Amino acid sequence: MKNISKIVIALISILAVSCNADDVDNRPILESVSAPEMTLPVTGKTFVLTENNADNEADLFKWNPAAYSHDVVVSYSLLMDVKDGDFANAQTLASTNDITQASISVKTLNQAAIELGAVPGTAKMFDVKVKCNVAGSTAMETEETITISITAYSGLVTYPFTDWYLVGDATVAGWDNNKGNQPLFRSGSNSKLYKYTGYFKAGYFKVISTLGKWAPMYGGEGGNLVYRATDADGDPASFNIPTAGYYTFAIDTQTLTYTLNPYDASAATVHATIGLIGSSRTGTEAGWNDDTDMVQSTFDPHIWTITVSLFDGEAKFRANNAWDVNWGGDTAFSAFPGNGTSGGNIPVAKSKYKVYFNDLDGSYLMIPNQQ
């Protein structure tokens, strides 16, 4: 009896497998029929963009739908690249599902143009096309692009601060005044206060405010800063690092004083990654879902940098793509020290930035308008 039961079960299993295989074999095959085609705007249209109209519609972009052999949901991406570009590094103007048009704002079109190398105030030609995707099918795209002219505005914020950079054989750049010099971090509430906590070699250093130039400059000794305004002025004494290690260097450009004290970094964690995260990365709340990893210094593993284009929004820094260790702040551009997990979100205005972060004390510096 048991053997008969086993035979019946085996037959049912074979039939089930056979039926499933037949189902798979009989599934309709999804085939691409025709690619989408751009209809608006027409080739040759000119856009002269102004910041006063940033939130207005630049134009309504339309295209004919892609056709497939069966009814499916089609995902579209509206892409822009420089004229005759290969779209390998294209900017995405909009993404839709089963919708064959997108209203593109002035600031969206302007940001894309700036990202693709537009010089503010000068007309530049761009190609636009549509690419579509359906699950289980090969992606299709428009066979021909439309070409438009865009005169962009700067889209960059005004930076009302002076920055000071380390230079000298005790620092990462050596005595080269334009070679990845480390800037001092600036107080978020007092533009006269600067500080840097990090690694120094044994040797000497000064601070300069303009990369590639030796003046203005600060040197000093005995706790007193000495200012050099022009190349014609005397060269001030260098700050001395007697032994390689970690130090905190702070200056007050109003009182013309400085401090230079050893810093114990022995218990500090060396993180595998530090990422910039927030709505300012994409201009949407979706930007809080993943990080843009920063580059770790080979001179000091606690210093991180990145050059990035950011949108209006908010940002934070976090370690190892998780929220266990993160830093925030409540002031734009800079703060020292930054705040820990209880800190707020850093306000960010749309621009291109060179971003510096120090995981020893959470200090951050965002210098706009830098490539």
Side-chain angles (χ1 to χ4, degrees):
M1 189 68 178
K2 290 182 178 179
N3 290 336
I4 293 175
S5 299
K6 290 180 180 178
I7 293 171
V8 171
I9 292 171
L11 286 172
I12 292 173
S13 300
I14 292 171
L15 288 172
V17 171
S18 176
C19 289
N20 289 337
D22 289 341
D23 289 342
V24 171
D25 292 339
N26 292 328
R27 283 180 187 169
I29 298 175
L30 181 64
E31 296 180 346
S32 303
V33 177
S34 62
E37 291 298 330
M38 292 289 303
T39 59
L40 288 176
V42 297
T43 285
K45 182 158 186 179
T46 297
F47 295 87
V48 179
L49 308 178
T50 63
E51 191 165 12
N52 290 337
N53 298 321
D55 293 325
N56 295 347
E57 179 186 78
D59 210 338
L60 184 64
F61 287 68
K62 291 185 176 182
W63 55 92
N64 292 326
Y68 289 85
S69 56
H70 303 283
D71 290 336
V72 289
V73 175
V74 183
S75 297
Y76 296 100
S77 296
L78 182 63
L79 307 175
M80 187 172 89
D81 199 1
V82 296
K83 180 174 171 54
D84 298 326
D86 60 6
F87 283 83
N89 297 304
Q91 293 293 303
T92 300
L93 299 178
S95 298
T96 69
N97 287 325
D98 267 357
I99 298 175
T100 58
Q101 63 181 36
S103 175
I104 306 302
S105 69
V106 168
K107 65 181 178 182
T108 297
L109 197 61
N110 189 79
Q111 181 75 13
I114 292 292
E115 289 295 319
L116 292 169
V119 176
T122 302
K124 186 176 179 68
M125 305 300 288
F126 297 92
D127 288 337
V128 181
K129 71 177 179 180
V130 174
K131 185 175 182 179
C132 65
N133 285 282
V134 171
S137 179
T138 303
M140 292 193 295
E141 57 189 52
T142 50
E143 294 180 2
E144 294 186 7
T145 62
I146 62 167
T147 300
I148 59 178
S149 170
I150 299 176
T151 302
Y153 58 87
S154 69
L156 301 174
V157 299
T158 301
Y159 188 55
F161 304 108
T162 298
D163 286 302
W164 293 96
Y165 297 85
L166 299 173
V167 62
D169 58 3
T171 72
V172 62
W175 284 108
D176 193 323
N177 63 6
N178 193 12
K179 187 182 179 182
N181 301 68
Q182 173 65 46
L184 303 180
F185 293 93
R186 189 186 58 256
S187 166
S189 58
N190 187 336
S191 63
K192 304 298 183 181
L193 301 179
Y194 298 81
K195 185 178 75 169
Y196 174 70
T197 296
Y199 181 76
F200 289 84
K201 292 180 179 179
Y204 297 88
F205 71 95
K206 297 178 182 181
V207 292
I208 55 175
S209 66
T210 304
L211 293 175
K213 297 184 178 180
W214 292 106
M217 171 192 285
Y218 279 114
E221 57 185 341
N224 297 312
L225 285 180
V226 177
Y227 182 60
R228 184 192 191 203
T230 69
D231 289 335
D233 296 322
D235 195 13
S238 299
F239 306 106
N240 180 29
I241 300 293
T243 305
Y246 283 83
Y247 292 81
T248 295
F249 174 67
I251 66 174
D252 185 328
T253 60
Q254 183 170 10
T255 63
L256 293 179
T257 57
Y258 76 90
T259 58
L260 179 59
N261 298 308
Y263 177 87
D264 185 2
S266 59
T269 301
V270 176
H271 297 286
T273 65
I274 295 289
L276 182 67
I277 190 168
S279 60
S280 61
R281 292 190 315 108
T282 63
T284 68
E285 288 302 312
W288 290 103
N289 291 334
D290 62 276
D291 303 33
T292 299
D293 286 341
M294 304 184 73
V295 177
Q296 187 177 37
S297 168
T298 56
F299 183 80
D300 181 345
H302 299 289
I303 299 298
W304 305 77
T305 60
I306 188 173
T307 299
V308 63
S309 292
L310 298 176
F311 294 83
D312 294 335
E314 298 176 319
K316 272 193 169 184
F317 301 93
R318 68 175 185 172
N320 307 319
N321 301 301
W323 286 109
D324 313 42
V325 181
N326 70 89
W327 302 262
D330 55 10
T331 55
F333 300 123
S334 61
F336 75 73
N339 297 321
T341 54
S342 62
N345 297 333
I346 303 166
V348 178
K350 178 169 68 72
S351 188
K352 288 187 176 182
Y353 291 87
K354 181 66 175 288
V355 182
Y356 298 84
F357 179 71
N358 186 344
D359 68 43
L360 286 176
D361 61 4
S363 295
Y364 60 88
L365 180 62
M366 299 182 177
I367 305 176
N369 307 356
Q370 295 206 352
Q371 305 298 320

